[in-house]
């Protein structure tokens, strides 16, 4: 790895360091032809080309200047140092429901340093309520940071850490918990917490943002306000995901943690409930319940069971995929595989011998569908019947991601194939449904 | 007015849409036609806190309103990027090339690497809450009558969404325009007279048009004027569309600023301090107006509103105009009240009694406020919250008037006056657009641009005048009316240049004078009409008739216009028969003279506007020689 200073590498880095420059210093750059630029030295975009420096002109614009032979960089002096004056945070009312906000990554609230362009995340409760004062009107919030991870870097052991932290909060009497989370794998974490914290007596609300919190249009604040409101007041004890229902800011959908997936790379309404409706909506700050089957707030069904095995895998079948992929997992000692098959739950017929072998070795093979919507049924076609016959377990209308997470959770409790099968088909946290309903009209958006 | 004595300084920013195929940061086309599926969605914007912890005055202004923002997206020319639902794509290189061409024409120096910035704008005109903008070049100059006006920057930015409707509770924007590339050329604030300003704007406009790659028509060009006189803040007048307004606005602002400076002196003389003003509190005087004859006030009260009065110590006589030129502080205070409080307006004591408010009511208010003869007061009637906001703004503005003439963002009115819009934004609230990597401007690109520079408009005019045998005055009329491209298109399909030029200039002018909204007729229809002329379906003599019809019947097609007006050429056989019949008639009347003249006369009477004269004359010649040969 090339040594880099504030994004500068190689010769330019040498020149800047030799000139004794700091980011934010006022500099004068004189080109060989006499052209003079004056501004403040900025850090450089990590992946940009070498050989340029970035300065911020007095009018606020950044420009890049090529540092070619004969260019002279002179330090004029230190740039203006900002003295951060945080506005007075609103008073928290201890008589309001107590809500714990646990940050695991992403920035749910931040402020911008307009000199350097740096985005500074809100770290403390005070920071958070200063930036999103509305939450102080809804709850007595306490914020803390548990992890600072991009969600794609999360592992089952992180799920355990989060579950453990929430369990502490549940036991110490909070009215609700909000987990801020990067969105990419938020639905995996949501499923994991749903199993680990099954029957939670308080709402556990995962929340994220599709637009970063440093922009005025960010969905972070509206989602966070909704999450705090749900955590504080919802009548259910469930693990849920609170995100925009559509492109508008005024409807937030509350999805069941085992029924939700991220279905768009960038849009605010990326999270959708599949094979189920959202439990509730917050429409113009008003809670609208959408499903009467939920675990009631304060119920005594709470069963804290953390722990996830990493011996489970998810394989998406595609035409021509070789069953050797299964052999690979068997050799590595995996104890269970979720197949994301085609249509009603199929893989090519040449997979059958390998599947039989795996199951004979005691490895659990479960079938979900890459159609996402609908239920698997392996009785309709011959091939399906054959696959079923060798012992593959059809997983009803369970989402592939949820099935994987559940299998990890189940394998952490038993390794007996029959027990695994039984547990996989026993509903724990709303992950299985036995009636599939027609898709409903999209709710009214405004 | 002696502008020099006042120390007038003006800078101009010209914004013009570029005629690129795609928008600046996505693949949507830049020619909205309103044919797509429309969706509407609701958003709120919140100010991003700066690391400095300070709150920007312009941002606070918008935040205070907390209006619901409703966006209307036409999917024909709007995608998830404009909806702020997808990250921006790479900077449009076609737009960069045009900007670099302008830079070259102005002798500006391109940056080595373009960095796209986010400039915070939270009035809703950008779905993101910021406008993406980047400097393409710095420096350069334009010379006006021997006076050099330096160029500060040439930037590329995304055009904002168009406002459709604005109420105190919500604002509706149409997203079609959002993201169309805009070039902005800013001069240094060195211009010292209204005439010099308009000449500079015209000259810069000519340079932009020389690229032949800018959009034309209403709304494609906007000028911002930064105006100050010695001792005042800078007034930024936003979005001036017509060149003719520039000198009027500058003159108006110079007078307004001079007037405000005069008031400042007077207030100091009277010994008033800002603290005197800030100590005042609005007083509820609704009871005084319980049976008022003022329609506005009684309507507001009946709707549940309140009437409040605010004393302005020492302001007596200073709120009304003192120079009969329409400039008065009272008007400014009223605009502040409207902008900050969302109220309809104010009444002030310098103009009362009037508007149905009686002397008795004025006296009652004065006594309630313990008004001294040197004091003034302001009245506002509306919902209580709005009234208090409005009076707060009035109070702050009045207090300010004692120590300074504040910088403001103002909007232009069609008569050349201006109105208060919002405070000027604080120092640039800009940060890098991290979703877009910087773009290196290579030497080879600059060389390519330098060797493909378009001719200047002067060069173009003289070459076109030579090529088409038209007077250079006529060509300049085409250029100034922005119809040069249309002229070239018509000539391209075979319309005689002289006719095309005079139709596009004189023809339009004449119909406009007669009250036809001809500028609203899409050029595609005009072109379609001329294509029919070329094909002999109708005759060019009917051009004005058709254009005027289309301007009054915007949903009519060209074909329908021809049918309605009876301007389709009859079948050829019918014309030939007619010619033969007339030849027989004329030769029997005057057997010894050439029948051509009278024949054409009678034929034109019948077929004017339906058959082209030249074509008819050709036909007549053929028939005559055929008959002679017989």
């Amino acid at each position: 790895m090339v040594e880099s200073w504030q994004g500068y590498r190689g010769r330019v880095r040498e020149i800047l360091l030799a000139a004794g420059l700091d980011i934010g210093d006022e500099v004068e750059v004189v080109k060989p032809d006499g052209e003079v630029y004056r501004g403040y030295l900025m850090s450089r975009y990590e992946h940009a080309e070498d050989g340029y420096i970035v300065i911020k002109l007095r009018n606020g614009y950044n420009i890049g200047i090529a540092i070619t032979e004969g260019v002279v960089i002179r330090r004029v002096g230190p740039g203006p140092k900002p003295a951060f004056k945080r506005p007075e945070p609103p008073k928290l009312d201890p008589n309001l429901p107590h809500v714990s906000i646990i940050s695991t990554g992403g920035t749910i609230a931040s402020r911008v340093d307009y000199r350097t362009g740096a985005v500074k995340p809100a770290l403390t409760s005070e920071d958070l309520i200063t930036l999103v004062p509305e939450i102080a009107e809804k709850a007595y919030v306490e914020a803390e940071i548990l992890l600072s991870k991009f969600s794609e870097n999360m592992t089952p052991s992180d799920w355990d850490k989060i579950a453990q932290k929430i369990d502490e909060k549940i036991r110490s009497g909070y009215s609700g918990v909000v987990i801020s989370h990067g969105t990419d794998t938020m639905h995996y974490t949501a499923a994991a917490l749903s199993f680990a914290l099954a029957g939670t007596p308080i709402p556990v609300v995962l929340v994220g943002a599709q637009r970063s919190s440093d922009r005025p249009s960010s969905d972070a604040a509206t989602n966070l306000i909704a999450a705090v409101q749900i955590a504080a007041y919802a009548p259910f004890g469930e693990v849920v995901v609170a995100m925009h229902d559509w492109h508008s800011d005024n409807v937030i959908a509350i999805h069941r943690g085992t029924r939700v997936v991220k279905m768009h790379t960038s849009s605010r309404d990326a999270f959708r409930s599949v094979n189920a409706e959202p439990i509730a909506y917050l429409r113009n700050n008003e809670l609208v319940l959408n499903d009467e089957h939920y675990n009631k707030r304060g119920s005594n069904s709470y069963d804290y069971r953390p722990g996830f095995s990493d011996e489970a895998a998810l394989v998406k079948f595609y035409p021509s995929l070789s069953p050797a992929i299964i052999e690979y997992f068997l050799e590595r000692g995996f104890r269970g595989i979720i197949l994301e098959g085609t249509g009603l739950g199929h893989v090519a017929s040449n997979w059958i011998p390998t599947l039989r072998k795996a199951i004979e070795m005691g490895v659990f093979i479960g079938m979900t569908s890459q159609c996402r919507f609908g239920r698997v049924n392996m009785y309709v076609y011959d091939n399906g019947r054959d696959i079923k016959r060798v012992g593959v377990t059809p997983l009803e209308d369970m989402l592939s991601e949820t099935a994987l997470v559940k299998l990890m959770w189940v394998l952490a409790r038993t390794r007996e194939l029959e027990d695994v099968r039984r547990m996989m088909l026993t509903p724990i946290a709303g992950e299985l449904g036995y009636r599939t309903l027609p898709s409903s009209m999209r709710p009214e958006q405004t | 007015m002696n502008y020099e004595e006042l120390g007038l300084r003006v800078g101009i920013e010209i914004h013009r849409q570029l005629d690129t195929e795609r928008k600046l940061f996505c693949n949507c086309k830049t020619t909205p036609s309103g044919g797509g599926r429309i969706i509407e969605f609701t958003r709120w914007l919140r100010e991003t806190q700066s690391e400095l912890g300070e709150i920007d005055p312009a941002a606070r202004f918008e935040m205070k309103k907390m209006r619901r923002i409703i966006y209307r997206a036409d999917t024909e020319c709007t995608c998830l990027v404009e909806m702020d639902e997808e990250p921006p794509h790479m900077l449009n290189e076609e737009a960069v090339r045009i900007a670099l061409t302008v830079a070259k024409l102005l002798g500006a120096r391109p940056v080595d690497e373009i960095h796209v910035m986010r400039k915070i704008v939270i009035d809703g005109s950008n779905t993101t809450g910021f406008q993406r903008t980047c400097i393409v070049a710095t420096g350069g100059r334009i010379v006006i009558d021997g006076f050099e006006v330096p160029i500060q920057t040439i930037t590329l930015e995304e055009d904002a969404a168009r406002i459709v409707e604005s109420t105190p509770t919500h604002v509706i924007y149409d997203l079609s325009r959002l993201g169309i590339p805009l070039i902005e050329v800013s001069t240094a604030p060195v211009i010292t007279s209204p005439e010099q300003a308009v000449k500079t704007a015209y000259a810069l406009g000519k340079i932009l048009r020389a690229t032949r790659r800018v959009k034309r028509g209403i709304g494609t060009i906007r000028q911002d004027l930064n105006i100050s006189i010695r001792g005042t803040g800078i007034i930024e007048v936003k979005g001036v569309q017509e060149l003719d307004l520039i000198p009027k606005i500058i003159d108006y602002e110079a007078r307004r600023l001079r007037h405000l400076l005069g008031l400042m002196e007077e207030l100091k003389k009277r010994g008033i301090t800002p603290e005197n003003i800030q100590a005042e509190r609005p007083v509820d005087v609704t009871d005084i107006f319980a049976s008022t004859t003022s329609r506005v006030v009684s309507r507001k009260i009946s709707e549940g509103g309140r009437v409040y009065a605010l004393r302005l110590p020492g302001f007596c006589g200073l709120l009304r105009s003192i120079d009969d030129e329409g400039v008065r502080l009272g008007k400014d205070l009223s605009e502040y009240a409207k902008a900050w409080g969302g109220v309809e307006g104010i009444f002030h004591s310098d103009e009362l009694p009037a508007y149905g408010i009686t002397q008795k009511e004025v006296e009652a208010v004065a006594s309630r406020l313990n008004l001294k003869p040197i004091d003034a007061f302001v009245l506002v009637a509306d919902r209580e919250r709005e009234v208090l906001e409005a009076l707060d703004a009035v109070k702050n503005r009045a207090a300010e008037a004692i120590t300074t003439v504040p910088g403001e963002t103002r909007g232009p009115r069609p008569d050349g006056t201006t109105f208060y819009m919002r405070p000027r934004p604080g120092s640039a609230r800009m940060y890098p657009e991290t979703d877009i990597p910087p773009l290196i401007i290579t030497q080879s690109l600059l060389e390519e641009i330098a060797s493909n520079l378009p001719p200047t408009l002067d060069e173009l005019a003289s070459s076109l005048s030579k090529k088409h045998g038209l007077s250079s005055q006529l060509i300049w009329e085409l250029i100034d009316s922005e119809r040069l491209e249309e002229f070239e298109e018509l000539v391209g399909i075979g319309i005689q240049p002289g006719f095309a030029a005079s139709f596009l200039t004189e023809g339009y002018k004449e119909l406009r004078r007669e009250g036809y909204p001809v500028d609203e007729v899409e050029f595609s229809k005009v072109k379609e009409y001329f294509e029919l002329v070329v094909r002999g379906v109708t005759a060019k003599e009917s051009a004005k008739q058709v254009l005027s019809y289309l301007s009054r019947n915007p949903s009519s097609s060209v074909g329908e216009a021809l049918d309605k007006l009876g301007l389709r050429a009859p079948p050829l056989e019918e014309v030939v028969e007619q010619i033969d019949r007339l030849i027989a008639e004329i030769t029997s009347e005057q057997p010894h003279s050439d029948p051509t003249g009278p024949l054409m006369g009678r034929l034109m009477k019948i077929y004017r506007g339906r058959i082209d004269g030249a074509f008819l004359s050709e036909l007549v010649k053929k028939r005559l020689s055929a008959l002679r040969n017989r």
Side-chain angles (χ1 to χ4, degrees):
Chain A
M1 170 122 179
V2 190
E3 208 178 342
S4 146
W5 175 75
Q6 299 284 353
Y8 291 103
R9 289 178 293 257
R11 190 173 53 84
V12 173
R13 172 179 164 272
E14 302 292 314
I15 294 173
L16 295 177
L17 291 178
L21 283 165
D22 241 337
I23 296 302
D25 280 354
E26 189 169 11
V27 293
E28 192 176 78
V29 185
V30 186
K31 291 263 204 166
D33 60 3
E35 190 78 20
V36 179
Y37 293 95
R38 215 172 216 228
Y40 305 101
L41 183 68
M42 295 288 110
S43 52
R44 186 146 174 86
Y45 193 83
E46 284 287 344
H47 300 288
E49 294 286 319
D50 290 342
Y52 294 79
I53 65 162
V54 185
I55 64 167
K56 180 183 277 297
L57 303 177
R58 277 183 184 278
N59 59 17
Y61 280 93
N62 289 8
I63 60 170
I65 302 174
I67 303 304
T68 48
E69 201 62 40
V71 173
V72 178
I73 307 174
R74 198 172 64 77
R75 182 173 187 269
V76 177
K81 286 274 176 270
F84 175 57
K85 299 184 292 290
R86 189 175 58 203
E88 196 58 32
K91 278 262 174 299
L92 282 171
D93 179 355
N95 297 317
L96 289 174
H98 287 223
V99 169
S100 159
I101 301 179
I102 297 163
S103 170
T104 67
T107 50
I108 194 76
S110 53
R111 54 174 62 84
V112 177
D113 182 344
Y114 289 105
R115 291 171 317 122
T116 61
V119 175
K120 308 265 174 81
L123 300 177
T124 64
S125 309
E126 279 182 343
D127 250 4
L128 196 62
I129 58 168
T130 308
L131 290 167
V132 192
E134 294 94 327
I135 57 178
E137 294 165 17
K138 299 191 185 290
Y140 183 86
V141 296
E142 284 174 34
E144 64 184 284
I145 292 170
L146 177 64
L147 301 168
S148 293
K149 278 202 172 187
F150 289 128
S151 78
E152 60 270 31
N153 292 335
M154 290 262 183
T155 62
S157 73
D158 294 322
W159 303 340
D160 270 335
K161 274 184 212 149
I162 300 170
Q164 192 192 335
K165 176 60 87 180
I166 299 170
D167 179 60
E168 278 169 28
K169 302 292 174 191
I170 292 174
R171 289 178 203 286
S172 38
Y174 282 82
S175 297
V177 178
V178 172
I179 310 291
S180 79
H181 199 288
T183 57
D184 275 13
T185 68
M186 186 158 64
H187 48 301
Y188 289 92
T189 305
L193 297 177
S194 300
F195 297 116
L197 305 167
T200 165
I202 59 171
V204 173
V205 191
L206 287 100
V207 67
Q210 287 285 85
R211 292 283 86 70
S212 61
S213 57
D214 57 284
R215 0 165 125 214
S217 63
S218 172
D219 52 334
T222 37
N223 288 341
L224 178 65
I225 295 164
V228 169
Q229 187 171 338
I230 292 293
Y233 303 104
F236 46 76
E238 292 275 355
V239 175
V240 294
V241 167
M243 291 289 285
H244 272 52
D245 183 50
W246 193 59
H247 303 296
S248 283
D249 278 339
N250 57 340
V251 185
I252 308 297
I254 313 300
H255 305 276
R256 195 183 289 275
T258 50
R259 287 296 197 173
V260 64
V261 262
K262 185 177 187 182
M263 294 189 76
H264 199 282
T265 57
S266 61
S267 190
R268 286 169 176 74
D269 59 351
F271 285 82
R272 301 282 174 88
S273 284
V274 170
N275 291 335
E277 290 285 313
I279 293 187
Y281 295 97
L282 265 188
R283 196 168 294 157
N284 300 317
N285 297 322
E286 201 124 322
L287 180 71
V288 183
L289 283 171
N290 193 45
D291 183 353
E292 65 260 39
H293 303 289
Y294 53 76
N295 178 47
K296 287 203 169 48
R297 179 190 277 274
S299 77
N300 50 14
S301 53
Y302 181 44
D303 187 7
Y304 174 54
R305 282 189 288 171
F308 296 89
S309 158
D310 54 6
E311 292 173 344
L314 171 60
V315 174
K316 180 176 188 142
F317 173 78
Y318 58 87
S320 88
L321 177 64
S322 161
I325 187 91
I326 301 296
E327 302 278 1
Y328 167 86
F329 285 115
L330 296 181
E331 282 161 25
R332 296 270 172 133
F334 275 62
R335 302 296 304 161
I337 295 168
I338 302 296
L339 293 177
E340 194 177 81
T342 57
L344 286 164
H346 303 131
V347 290
S349 19
N350 65 351
W351 278 48
I352 290 174
T354 314
L355 295 178
R356 178 183 294 122
K357 177 179 154 196
I359 290 161
E360 279 168 6
M361 288 166 67
V363 172
F364 173 83
I365 309 280
M367 181 68 78
T368 62
S369 175
Q370 52 192 254
C371 294
R372 280 213 183 281
F373 285 90
R375 182 184 305 279
V376 292
N377 188 321
M378 300 175 65
Y379 294 106
V380 178
Y381 296 102
D382 278 346
N383 188 33
R385 288 191 281 270
D386 292 343
I387 296 166
K388 172 92 175 45
R389 199 170 301 126
V390 299
V392 171
T393 308
L395 294 174
E396 301 288 342
D397 65 345
M398 215 191 302
L399 279 166
S400 313
E401 292 88 341
T402 300
L404 170 70
V405 172
K406 186 174 182 187
L407 183 54
M408 289 173 158
W409 181 76
V410 168
L411 288 173
R413 342 218 88 71
T414 177
R415 295 167 71 87
E416 287 303 315
L417 181 55
E418 270 323 302
D419 289 342
V420 174
R421 276 190 180 137
R422 187 179 42 76
M423 287 178 76
M424 284 304 287
L425 290 173
T426 307
I428 306 280
E431 75 279 16
L432 284 165
Y434 302 103
R435 293 176 69 225
T436 311
L437 300 179
S439 57
S440 65
M441 305 262 296
R442 303 279 295 146
E444 189 198 336
Q445 300 299 342
T446 47
Chain B
M1 187 173 327
N2 189 336
Y3 301 110
E4 204 184 316
E5 216 167 78
L6 287 177
L8 176 71
R9 289 287 178 275
V10 180
I12 300 179
E13 289 172 18
I14 291 206
H15 305 252
R16 185 133 195 185
Q17 287 182 346
L18 299 184
D19 195 20
T20 52
E21 197 185 334
R22 302 287 160 190
K23 288 188 177 177
L24 196 53
F25 296 110
C26 70
N27 269 312
C28 288
K29 58 181 188 172
T30 62
T31 47
S33 64
R37 185 167 58 94
I38 308 282
I39 65 165
E40 265 189 18
F41 55 98
T42 300
R43 292 273 170 82
W44 284 282
L45 292 176
R46 57 173 56 225
E47 195 216 357
T48 313
Q49 251 180 42
S50 110
E51 184 58 14
L52 296 172
E54 67 194 7
I55 293 177
D56 183 63
R60 187 176 53 207
F61 177 75
E62 293 300 335
M63 279 291 275
K64 214 160 182 177
K65 294 193 192 160
M66 265 312 268
R67 289 192 295 182
R68 171 196 288 259
I69 304 164
I70 299 168
Y71 290 111
R72 212 168 265 170
D74 180 341
T75 49
E76 188 206 27
C77 53
T78 313
C79 68
L80 289 187
V81 174
E82 292 95 325
M83 291 171 66
D84 189 39
E85 290 286 32
E86 181 180 319
H89 302 189
M90 296 300 102
L91 185 58
N92 180 336
E93 286 200 29
E94 189 189 0
V96 173
R97 280 167 184 267
I98 300 171
L100 287 172
T101 304
V102 171
K104 184 79 191 167
L105 292 174
L106 285 168
R109 175 167 190 125
V111 298
D112 296 327
E113 194 181 54
I114 298 177
H115 287 249
V116 180
M117 306 296 290
R118 299 169 169 176
K119 188 197 261 176
I120 297 289
V121 181
I122 63 164
D123 62 2
S125 58
N126 288 73
T127 46
T128 49
F130 49 73
Q131 181 188 33
R132 297 190 181 96
T133 173
C134 54
I135 288 190
V136 176
T138 59
R141 73 203 61 77
I142 191 160
V143 178
I144 307 297
D145 299 336
F147 180 79
E148 189 177 297
V149 178
I151 304 299
Q152 287 181 328
T153 53
I154 297 171
T155 60
L156 263 183
E157 53 194 35
E158 46 185 3
D159 203 350
R162 186 175 60 83
I163 199 159
V164 178
E165 187 181 305
S166 173
T167 75
T169 54
H170 73 262
V171 53
I172 302 179
Y173 286 98
D174 182 309
L175 293 184
S176 302
R177 202 179 70 187
L178 180 63
I180 292 180
L182 273 185
I183 189 167
E184 183 203 89
V185 179
S186 328
T187 75
V190 298
I191 296 163
T192 53
S193 75
E195 294 67 41
Q196 206 177 34
V198 74
K199 280 183 181 169
T200 307
Y202 180 65
L204 285 174
K206 267 169 71 178
I207 298 242
L208 294 181
R209 277 188 293 152
T211 63
R212 312 295 301 276
R213 301 295 305 281
V214 293
K215 285 200 186 287
R216 291 168 287 122
I218 301 154
T220 60
I221 184 160
R222 299 193 289 280
Q223 278 119 166
D224 294 352
L225 304 170
N226 296 317
I227 306 168
S228 65
I229 64 173
R230 195 176 303 108
T232 74
I234 295 172
I235 302 299
E236 189 176 354
V237 182
K238 282 267 185 204
V240 182
Q241 298 204 0
E242 295 85 16
L243 227 44
D244 305 348
L245 270 188
I246 291 177
K248 290 185 195 158
I249 286 171
I250 295 173
D251 178 66
Y252 175 80
E253 274 305 317
R255 284 190 286 114
R256 197 181 65 86
L257 294 174
R258 185 184 59 180
H259 179 63
L260 292 175
L261 280 176
L263 288 186
M264 196 166 87
E265 288 316 306
E266 177 61 26
L267 283 163
K268 278 183 190 153
K269 237 185 264 167
R270 293 185 184 184
I272 312 300
T273 65
E275 292 72 31
N276 296 149
I277 308 295
Q278 290 295 0
E280 292 297 319
R281 294 285 170 267
V283 175
D284 190 333
V285 293
T286 315
D287 56 309
I288 295 175
F289 294 90
S291 51
T292 184
T293 54
S294 160
R295 285 219 201 125
V296 182
V297 176
S298 77
R299 174 167 55 86
K300 289 292 179 189
I301 294 175
S302 72
E303 287 168 3
R306 309 294 298 175
V307 189
Y308 274 82
L310 179 76
R311 183 173 62 177
L312 296 179
F315 272 74
C316 181
L318 302 184
L319 302 179
R320 65 165 177 256
S321 170
I322 51 170
D323 58 0
D324 276 340
E325 291 183 277
V327 173
R328 57 182 188 273
L329 182 61
K331 196 152 113 190
D332 277 13
L333 293 183
S334 173
E335 286 160 0
Y336 270 71
K338 286 181 198 169
W340 287 88
V343 298
E344 284 175 39
I346 64 169
F347 301 102
H348 60 77
S349 49
D350 282 359
E351 59 180 0
L352 297 176
Y355 313 111
I357 294 175
T358 61
Q359 181 63 34
K360 221 173 128 194
E361 286 163 341
V362 172
E363 281 165 11
V365 172
S367 106
R368 178 80 53 88
L369 296 174
N370 292 324
L371 210 70
K372 295 190 204 70
I374 192 77
D375 299 343
F377 70 79
V378 167
L379 278 180
V380 183
D382 216 306
R383 286 187 302 186
E384 190 165 22
R385 214 191 103 201
E386 277 79 3
V387 169
L388 294 177
E389 292 277 355
L391 286 176
D392 201 39
V394 166
K395 185 164 77 175
N396 290 335
R397 178 65 188 87
E400 227 174 6
I402 301 163
T403 54
T404 174
V405 176
E408 291 168 349
T409 302
R410 299 181 71 91
R413 287 212 176 88
D415 63 357
T417 61
T418 66
F419 62 94
Y420 172 80
M421 287 170 81
R422 53 178 180 266
R424 290 198 81 207
S427 62
R429 297 174 76 77
M430 266 197 258
Y431 65 115
E433 170 51 274
T434 41
D435 295 342
I436 302 169
L439 180 77
I440 293 172
I441 298 183
T442 61
Q443 206 49 43
S444 66
L445 175 61
L446 290 178
E447 280 160 16
E448 188 194 318
I449 279 163
S451 57
N452 287 296
L453 278 187
T456 65
L457 285 190
D458 296 274
E459 288 163 2
L460 183 70
S462 83
S463 88
L464 284 177
S465 135
K466 236 175 264 159
K467 178 174 164 196
H468 298 301
L470 299 175
S471 73
S472 76
Q473 189 203 339
L474 193 53
I475 295 287
W476 271 108
E477 266 183 61
L478 284 169
I479 292 174
D480 286 340
S481 59
E482 308 225 325
R483 295 198 180 272
L484 191 58
E485 283 74 10
E486 299 178 354
F487 166 75
E488 291 183 312
E489 277 192 55
L490 294 188
V491 171
I493 61 170
I495 299 299
Q496 196 250 329
F499 184 85
S502 72
F503 172 72
L504 289 171
T505 54
E506 286 310 315
Y508 269 74
K509 228 186 283 173
E510 204 180 300
L511 292 173
R512 209 177 290 127
R513 253 200 314 267
E514 288 167 23
Y516 292 100
V518 284
D519 298 297
E520 284 162 31
V521 178
E522 301 103 311
F523 180 69
S524 60
K525 280 189 183 172
V526 176
K527 188 173 173 191
E528 185 189 338
Y529 160 78
F530 278 106
E531 278 163 349
L532 295 178
V533 168
V534 172
R535 280 168 41 205
V537 176
T538 182
K540 66 177 189 298
E541 286 76 11
S542 62
K544 279 192 244 170
Q545 217 180 328
V546 172
L547 182 63
S548 56
Y549 181 86
L550 290 173
S551 74
R552 287 272 163 86
N553 301 280
S555 59
S556 166
S557 71
V558 176
E560 281 161 12
L562 293 181
D563 290 337
K564 265 270 164 17
L565 298 168
L567 290 174
R568 280 186 196 273
L572 192 59
E573 308 84 73
E574 191 189 310
V575 182
V576 170
E577 250 170 55
Q578 184 69 268
I579 292 175
D580 290 357
R581 202 149 36 80
L582 286 174
I583 291 176
E585 224 175 274
I586 291 167
T587 44
S588 76
E589 286 163 14
Q590 298 170 311
H592 301 295
S593 54
D594 180 1
T596 313
L599 180 57
M600 274 308 288
R602 290 193 206 178
L603 283 170
M604 283 312 283
K605 220 176 259 173
I606 303 169
Y607 295 123
R608 178 175 303 280
R610 295 162 69 195
I611 306 177
D612 183 60
F615 175 78
L616 208 53
S617 150
E618 210 45 45
L619 201 59
V620 162
K621 253 186 244 163
K622 269 190 210 150
R623 287 316 293 166
L624 282 173
S625 83
L627 289 175
R628 254 179 239 126
N629 289 345
R630 205 185 287 164

